[in-house]
Amino acid sequence: FSVALRCHGKRCRPFANSTLNKAIPRPILIATSPLAKIQKRYAAQAGASNGTWRPVSVLDEWVAKEARPISLRQLMVFGRSLTESRLISSANYVRTELPVRIAHRIRDMQQLPYVVVTNPHIEEVYQLYYKAFDTFRKFKEIKTLEDNEKFCEVISQNLKGHLTVIPKLAMGILECGRLMDPKELDHFMNVILRSRISRRVIAEQHLSLTETFNSPYFSPGATLSESDFIGEVFIKCFAKDVISRCAKAVTQLARSTNGPQVQVPEVKIDGHLNASFPYILSHLEYIVGELLRNSVQAVIDRHQQQPDHASSPPPPIEVTICEAQEHVIIRISDRGGGIPRDELPYLWSFSKGPQSQKRLENLGQVPRMAATMQELHVTDELGRADLKAPTYLGSLSTLTSRPPNLRLGMGLPLSRVYAEYWAGSLNLHSLEGYGVDAFLQISRLGNKNEQLTTRASMDA
Ligand code: COI
């Protein structure tokens, strides 16, 4: 098809010709006469009596519902004193919320140009999403702890099954870079990734609460202390501790990928060393880990090019923590020479960039990805992982492992999606020939709702 067939408003019909799954509605949208014949043929194949489109009312029904966003504070308050009835309410919130959130993204996909949505990678994600949508919308109301156990099984299976989503989407988007306005593609990718994070947060939070509830040490209604996690939410996340642990992990990674002889820059931390805030630890580790990884590698590469590099250590990476009334800002400054001019316009793009072909090749080697620091298999001298791995991921580390030196080219844009999801921001300033300053702003009070819709920075 050289013609982009677009989804027609809200209606869609079963795609009778699909070799994949006949029950899954496919986006076929054709409006005017040159294509009317095809439209009719498909309609007839679908068994529509008079050749008109059959509405897929079930999806429409769910798309019509609004997502109900939550804040970190709500997650904490809700999980702070856990009882059976709270656990059951949590289960039913997830049961009804997941299909709403997935339905919106299915509709977004249906509205992509036909050539994009039929890209095999995007199509695979579409099928996966439709299946998950169907599974969750059909799940009966959860009334007992036994129902909840079954529900948790389904969530876990879906969390594992959806580990292919990030590499698939990333490959699809790169392959479609020339078929659609890259800005629109990037916008689509940002929304779909943000929504994915949101679904995983509510699903993982529920699994965590269930795990807490089932623990032999748990007494219903008991209130947790400040230093604890409530589900996946780390109540008092100290910026300095997270940065130190990520720096250690990134240093080990740099040694293993550049060789033990290489001089790795020191990471110095100053500023408000006691700053803390509630956050999902794995999100913060991912962002800080990616920023430090970029800085460390840039400094190593630049230092190697200096004639006297063997006799002098590389310049340190300086991290400053600034605690303001509503935000914590983390600035990461390196002297790695700045970002090459040809890469600057594509820094935040999933769909375009000078290394697109290489990125595609590398992504092809990563069938599954959780987008956490843990999956890079960072271990200490004793072979132990240094970062807290989410429990549900524990047994998955081998499933998601990827060669740590592969550059997928999405660390920065994905970090920004994570930062903006909890109403924060991520920006870079490159000083050509000198280095980069990265600014990560985090909402400190945990009272901001998850940001499910468009990215402010993209719309600007
Ligand atoms: C995703 O990872 O994309 C999900 O939607 C997970 C959810 C179905 C539990």
Side-chain angles (χ1 to χ4, degrees), residues 35-214:
L35 301 165
K37 270 192 200 156
I38 308 172
Q39 180 182 22
K40 236 179 168 170
R41 196 176 70 225
Y42 281 133
Q45 283 167 345
S49 55
N50 57 2
T52 53
W53 299 116
R54 221 166 354 123
V56 182
S57 56
V58 98
L59 185 70
D60 290 344
E61 241 173 64
W62 287 86
V63 169
K65 298 179 194 192
E66 293 277 339
R68 290 179 288 159
I70 35 99
S71 66
L72 286 164
R73 193 176 280 178
Q74 279 170 316
L75 287 179
M76 288 191 293
V77 169
F78 189 85
R80 195 178 283 277
S81 47
L82 198 56
T83 58
E84 181 175 330
S85 90
R86 282 191 160 213
L87 191 66
I88 303 282
S89 306
S90 162
N92 283 309
Y93 168 74
V94 176
R95 180 183 65 86
T96 50
E97 193 66 12
L98 284 178
V100 173
R101 295 186 184 203
I102 302 175
H104 286 130
R105 303 295 68 88
I106 292 175
R107 177 51 41 85
D108 284 354
M109 293 177 101
Q110 291 176 343
Q111 289 174 340
L112 287 170
Y114 189 73
V115 278
V116 175
V117 79
T118 47
N119 171 281
H121 304 299
I122 308 261
E123 163 140 14
E124 218 178 300
V125 175
Y126 184 86
Q127 307 286 345
L128 214 51
Y129 277 11
Y130 216 98
K131 202 163 158 238
F133 165 68
D134 249 359
T135 307
F136 285 106
R137 83 177 168 85
K138 285 180 181 158
F139 208 97
K140 296 243 161 30
E141 187 186 347
I142 294 145
K143 292 184 175 153
T144 64
L145 290 175
E146 289 72 45
D147 295 345
N148 185 44
E149 287 305 313
K150 285 186 200 127
F151 184 57
C152 288
E153 263 302 302
V154 173
I155 295 180
S156 295
Q157 280 162 9
N158 275 274
L159 285 170
K160 285 179 201 165
H162 284 223
L163 285 170
T164 57
V165 165
I166 294 185
K168 287 284 162 209
L169 279 176
M171 284 198 279
I173 293 293
L174 277 170
E175 285 177 358
C176 295
R178 276 191 229 107
L179 300 173
M180 192 179 152
D181 177 0
K183 258 195 152 166
E184 277 187 46
L185 259 186
D186 281 327
H187 179 78
F188 164 79
M189 186 67 166
N190 272 282
V191 173
I192 205 163
L193 285 175
R194 202 189 287 197
S195 171
R196 178 178 187 270
I197 295 172
S198 83
R199 295 192 304 272
R200 292 183 87 87
V201 163
I202 60 173
E204 285 159 12
Q205 180 69 3
H206 180 66
L207 288 190
S208 252
L209 292 183
T210 302
E211 202 175 278
T212 305
F213 190 85
N214 288 341

Side-chain angles (χ1 to χ4, degrees), residues 30 93 150 173 211-212 237 243-244 267 303 374 406 428:
I30 311 154
Y93 168 74
K150 285 186 200 127
I173 293 293
E211 202 175 278
T212 305
C237 185
I243 298 162
S244 302
V267 177
H303 186 243
Q374 290 80 17
L406 273 192
L428 290 193

